[in-house]
Structures are given as C-alpha cells and as structure tokens.
Amino acid sequence: MADAASQTYDVVIIGGGPGGYNAAIRAGQLGLKAALVEKRSTLGGTCLNVGCMPSKALLHASELYEAANNEFAGIGIDVKPKLNLAQMHKAKDDSVEALTKGIEFLMKKNKVDVVKGFGRIAGQGKVEVEAEGGAKTTLETKNIVIATGSEPTPLPGVDFEDGKVIDSTGALFLPKVPKHLIVIGAGVIGLELGSVWRRLGAQVTVVEFLDKVGAGMDGEVATAFQRGLTKQGMTFRMGTKVTGAKTSKDGVELTLEPAQKSENGGGEAETLKGDVVLVAIGRRPYTAGLGLETVGVTPDQRGFIANDHFKTSAPGVWVIGDVTHGPMLAHKAEEDAVAVIELIAGKPGHVDYDLVPSVIYTGPEVAWVGKTEEALKAAGVNYKKGKFPFAANSRAKINHETEGFVKVLADAATDKVLGVHIYGPQAGELIGEACMTMAFGGASEDVARTCHPHPTRSEAFRQAAMGVEGWTMQA
Ligand code: FAD
Ligand code: NAD
C-alpha cells in the first residue's frame, strides 16, 4: 500500500465485499484515487468468504455425491461413493482462497490502495482505520462509500451455540454430517444449505413461519419447488413458529407453535429434536462501530442506511449493497457499485431493480426476474402467460432432468415481457437471457422468434414464450 495517510483520496470505500471491491475496480478504471478498507484478513466480503462461493462449492460437490449414489448406476456407471467430508471442505476452502487472492490482484491491477483494518467514519471526509494490532491511520477523502454489508439475523429465544445452533457460516463448516438438521426459515439459505446436508445424509426438517417457501418467489413456482424438495426427502413444517430452544449434550430441542393461532386461541405447542439447528431467517444490515453519528446519518428502524441514488443524508457519504435497501444479493451490490462510482465521477449512474434476478441453487434450481403473477394481479396489470415443462424439452429429457417448467408473463396489450420464472435444470444460467430480453424492453414474440440452439434447455424458454401467443410447438 502507498502511504495512505499522506494523500487525499477521491473515494474511500468501507467494506471489501462485492459492493466494495467492484466500486474500487470501477473507481480505478475511471482514474479515481481510491482506497478500500476491509476488516477481514481477506477481501471478497460475505459472498466470497462465507456466502455465495463456499455454499456453491458444497452444493456442487454434494450434488455430484448424490448423483453418484442415486443416478450413475441408471446410466451405466457402477460406483460406490464414499464421503470424504474433510476433503470436500478443503476443496471448498482452496477455491475460496484462490478467489479472494484474485480480488487482491484486481485491486493492484486497478491501483487501489487496500487498507486492512476496521474502518470508522470520523467526520466528513475522514475515515479512521484501526489495524489488527491497534495501530490507527486516518484517511482523508472527498467521498466515502459505505459497503459494510450484512450479518445473519438472530432469532430471539434461539441463541447461537457453536456446533448446535448455528448460522449460515456454521453450516458451511460442519465437521460431520448431522443426523437430524433442523432449519429455521425456508428461504434461500435454508433451502440451499438444507439441500447440501440432506444430500450428504442428514434428515432435514425445515420450519417456516409462512405457508410458502422461497421468500417471495412466484406462488406457482413455490408450490412446485416445495413438492420437489419434499420428494427428495426434506420435511416441511409450514405456518409454524419457533418459540424457544433448549440445548443439551445430545442436541437441541425446539418449541414450535402454529404461526396463526386458531379461532379458539389454541394451537398446541410441541417440541422437535435435532442434533443441529440452522437459523436462516434473513440477514440484517451491518453498521456496528461505523461512526455514522459523526456525519449525522441515522439508520432506519430495521438498521438499513437509506439512500437517494446512493447518497445518504450526509454530503459526500454514499451507500451501496446489503447495508442499504433492495435485494441482498451480490450482483445487486455489484450494480450499485458501478452506479455509485459513475455518479461520483460525474457520469450518469442508475440501477433498474426490477431487472435484478434471483436464483436458488438447489437441484433443480429456481430463477426468476421481474414480476410474479401475484404482483401483477395485485397491481391490476392485464397479462398473458406462456408455460413450458422441462419434461417436453429434449435436452432435459436425455439428461434425466425433467422436473420443472419455464413461465413467461407478458403484458396482454403490448406483449412486453414482465416476468420470467424458471424451476428446472440450469435455471440460474437460463435466466440471463430473460434479463437481457427485459433490459431491452423485449416482447415475448422477440424470444419466440429467436433461433435457439438445439438440443438445449434454453429451448424451453423459447417454447414458453411461444405459449404467450398460444403457439407452443413442442408440448
Ligand atoms: P458483504 O459481502 O457483506 O461485504 C461487506 C464487507 O465489509 C465484509 O467483508 C465486512 O468484513 C466488511 N466490513 C463491515 N464493516 C466494516 C468496517 N467498519 N470496516 C472495515 N470493513 C468492514 N448472493 C448472491 O447474489 N448469490 C448467491 O449465491 C449468494 N449466496 C449466499 C450464500 C450465503 C450462505 C450467504 C450468507 C449469502 C449469500 N449471498 C448470495 C448474499 C451475498 O453474499 C451478499 O448479498 C453480498 O455479499 C453483499 O455484498 P456487500 O458488498 O454489500 O456486503
Ligand atoms: P430469506 O429472506 O431468503 O428467508 C428467510 C425465511 O425465513 C423466510 O421464508 C421467512 O418467512 C422465514 N422466517 C423469518 N422469520 C422466521 C421465524 N421466526 N420462524 C420461521 N421462519 C421465519 O433469508 P435467508 O435465507 O436467511 O437469506 C438471507 C439473504 O441472503 C437473502 O436476502 C438472500 O437473498 C441472500 N442469499 C442469497 C442466495 C442466492 O442468491 N442464491 C443464497 C443465500 C443467501
């Protein structure tokens, strides 16, 4: 690092996750003098260290393990797989290390000063960084970008306890496969990490407050998705709340109650025992010790820092990623990052949050972008729908991946695509085409009349788009 204290930066970014490191890269590209402050020893934030990447490593490995157990014999490959969990964790950790080093390289390439330590805003244009040993440096800057991310939301009455009541980070590092894993929350983390441990041999029970899985996904998809996960062996306790937890040397006993009391005020409390409980009920913004009070910024009731085009209420202080409003996703943080730096550099910067896709990396995957049917109905939008099952897609059939469907929702008058919902193989890869279509204001007919390669799963998207005008050809 250059002598950080002796110069004035154009921008100091606090937090080295997908928001912060992408902001730093864009700042370097645009010739801004930038510093990136990170309290962890490695860059990459939640996503690279304890989020997107290690979870996908375990999802990939456990999917192959399950296929080797259940599917290989059917296609003529006789094997008897043996789980080596320590090696699975090592492979994950090695990949994470390579990725975080890659970010260090990108900082050098873009001439960004990386300052390791805890960053605290110390008034307008000042960021004080306390390194691990306690040494302090003050960085002077024209702009501060807050990109401090989020942390798991705890559940009152269910205190975290190492190895027994864990958050997502604990679930990425379990040293042995639990016999019975109870997951609280049927959202993205619960269903992804629940899938990992089920595939590796755990009995998995998911307790969810609402009556639908998937934290806001399209209702028709949620129903099919839950049915698919149930078929795979996951058990669901929907419409149920956890009111307490007791740990003992054998595991954890949860107390459950119906989320909605019955008319007579009843609803029997009951207990559920497991050896590990994963609390996955959402994440909350992280601003501890950030010194927001020194610039007069107050987080809202839920702890988020509000923004108007990434500006906070304090001049020269900007905010992006999980710590501000919008979906808590790495690619959303990345979009924010590009826009905020372009605004700081005097260019236009904008993010269309309607076009931020969501993916759940289960098997099969769920992916969507734009409006759900429920949202369109609630807004009184007149829409048409095309739907195509993977059971009729030749590539999916040949690969024995026929679960699921693609659904395209388009404006009834203009045919503009308003939402695409996919439950099926490679849904996360397929959704990119839907994002592109919608970014260009495309119509379902644009997709329906675009030649797609055969045999690919992408043909299912085209066939669903044809369905909007009633001319699906292959089902
Ligand atoms: P973060 O990645 O949280 O980074 C913030 C950084 O700021 C951290 O490194 C933190 O140490 C640092 N920091 C905080 N305060 C200070 C301070 N005062 N001084 C210095 N440094 C500080 N999203 C996806 O899009 N796809 C996925 O597949 C996906 N999978 C996930 C799986 C799991 C298990 C989890 C937990 C999350 C997943 N996410 C996924 C969400 C994704 O990780 C976040 O949306 C993303 O990391 C947010 O980026 P960010 O830069 O806003 O914050
Ligand atoms: P989530 O918001 O996806 O799901 C939380 C679930 O917990 C919801 O279904 C909610 O109804 C339920 N819930 C809340 N309180 C409850 C209670 N007291 N009892 C029972 N159920 C309760 O949150 P998450 O799964 O913790 O994930 C956190 C964030 O991380 C999400 O915003 C997500 O976007 C991000 N993430 C993304 C990915 C991905 O993109 N593939 C993967 C993991 C995490």
Side-chain angles (χ1 to χ4, degrees), residues 78-93:
D78 287 331
V79 288
K80 217 175 169 356
K82 182 165 169 275
L83 178 64
N84 180 345
L85 186 57
Q87 176 59 26
M88 201 177 274
H89 280 312
K90 182 177 180 302
K92 168 200 68 180
D93 298 343

Side-chain angles (χ1 to χ4, degrees), residues 354 370-385 409-419 438:
D354 269 350
K371 303 286 185 218
T372 61
E373 280 205 70
E374 290 77 15
L376 292 175
K377 281 183 187 140
V381 176
N382 200 3
Y383 66 93
K384 289 200 274 190
K385 160 171 154 178
L409 305 172
D411 188 282
T414 66
D415 193 31
K416 185 177 173 185
V417 177
L418 302 175
M438 290 174 67

